[in-house]
């Protein structure tokens, strides 16, 4: 391996981590909205499910499309996580130095990095469980089947924690990417950074609210499944 090639590897890895992070964050921005279609009623969520199964394109349902999507997301997820762990201080010594640094400078953006480490770590487990379930049971998605999984399948506690982790992680990640790549920098760097932080906070609040409201709706449908006509609840 030439010297030049060697020195390019960290930059390449860094770029790949940013790119996979960007794609995952954009996926989540869409995901919470699509799955939040339940807020408009079971029929809206049913239409969304049909759309992702290619029904409007092929005239019949192909849940395998969802499996394919889940495989793509899993690959991004694994690559992103593998590249991210390299940056986590792996020894106590390093962690202590880091903590002292944080205390001394009181740098908010460094504590944002810490939030990324904690939420990212939690998602190794929580995210994997969910993606795998979606990958292997793509035909079991829909207003009533999802609600059943949320309540009877005891997914609501996992979703509740995962919601906070993923929303924080995605929007803090986008904010940090915007700073790193100098998007929307404008003339006054400090001012645009302040504005971006405000947008980040607002987006986190809005997405948590939509997520909580959707989860509450799935729970309420799930608790009332006995009163749902069988032909509606089953495919
Ligand atoms: C292609 C892959 C994915 C598919 C098809 C999918 C699909 C779904 C569906 C249908 C629900 C509704 C509940 C249910 O049916 O169990 C849901 C909920 C949820 N998903 Fe995903 N998901 C995917 C990937 C992810 C990933 C990668 C994350 C984050 C790491 C995530 C986070 C969540 C959260 C937090 C909820 C609960 C949302 C709420 O509180 O309203 N999902 N997902």
């Amino acid at each position: 391996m030439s010297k030049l090639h060697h020195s390019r590897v960290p930059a390449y890895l860094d770029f790949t981590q940013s790119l996979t992070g960007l794609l995952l964050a954009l996926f989540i921005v869409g995901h919470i909205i699509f799955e939040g279609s339940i807020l408009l009623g079971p029929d809206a969520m049913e239409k969304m499910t049909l759309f992702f199964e290619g029904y409007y394109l092929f005239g019949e349902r192909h849940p395998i499309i969802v499996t394919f999507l889940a495989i793509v997301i899993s690959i991004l997820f694994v690559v992103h996580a593998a590249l991210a762990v390299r940056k986590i201080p792996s020894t106590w010594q390093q962690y202590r130095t880091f903590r002292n640094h944080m205390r001394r400078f009181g740098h908010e953006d460094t504590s944002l990095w810490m939030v990324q480490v904690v939420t990212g770590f939690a998602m190794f487990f929580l995210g994997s469980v969910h993606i795998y379930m979606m990958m292997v049971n793509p035909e079991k998605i829909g207003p009533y089947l999802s609600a059943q999984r949320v309540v009877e399948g005891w997914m609501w506690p996992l979703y509740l924690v995962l919601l906070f982790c993923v929303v924080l992680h995605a929007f803090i990640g986008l904010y940090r990417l915007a700073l790193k790549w100098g998007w929307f920098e404008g003339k006054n760097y400090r001012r645009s950074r302040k504005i971006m932080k405000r947008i980040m906070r607002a987006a986190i609040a809005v997405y948590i609210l939509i997520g909580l409201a959707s989860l509450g709706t799935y729970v309420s449908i799930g608790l009332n499944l006995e009163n749902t006509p069988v032909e509606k609840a089953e495919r």
Side-chain angles (χ1 to χ4, degrees), residues 24 27-28 31-32 35-36 38 45 49 66-71 73-74 77 123 126-128 130-131 134-135 140-142 145-147 149-150 155 158-164 166-167 208 210-216 218:
L24 286 165
F27 169 77
I28 287 302
H31 176 320
I32 306 281
E35 161 262 325
I38 196 72
M45 157 70 173
T49 310
V66 176
T67 298
F68 179 74
L69 182 65
I71 291 173
I73 296 299
S74 300
F77 189 76
M123 282 195 289
L126 306 175
S128 309
H130 173 52
I131 303 180
M134 296 295 121
M135 194 188 296
K140 297 214 174 88
I141 294 174
L145 293 165
S146 290
R149 175 170 37 250
V150 167
M155 286 303 282
L158 186 142
Y159 286 153
L160 190 59
V161 182
L162 182 59
L163 175 70
F164 279 88
V166 78
V167 170
I208 298 260
I210 295 177
L212 286 177
S214 312
L215 196 54
Y218 285 114

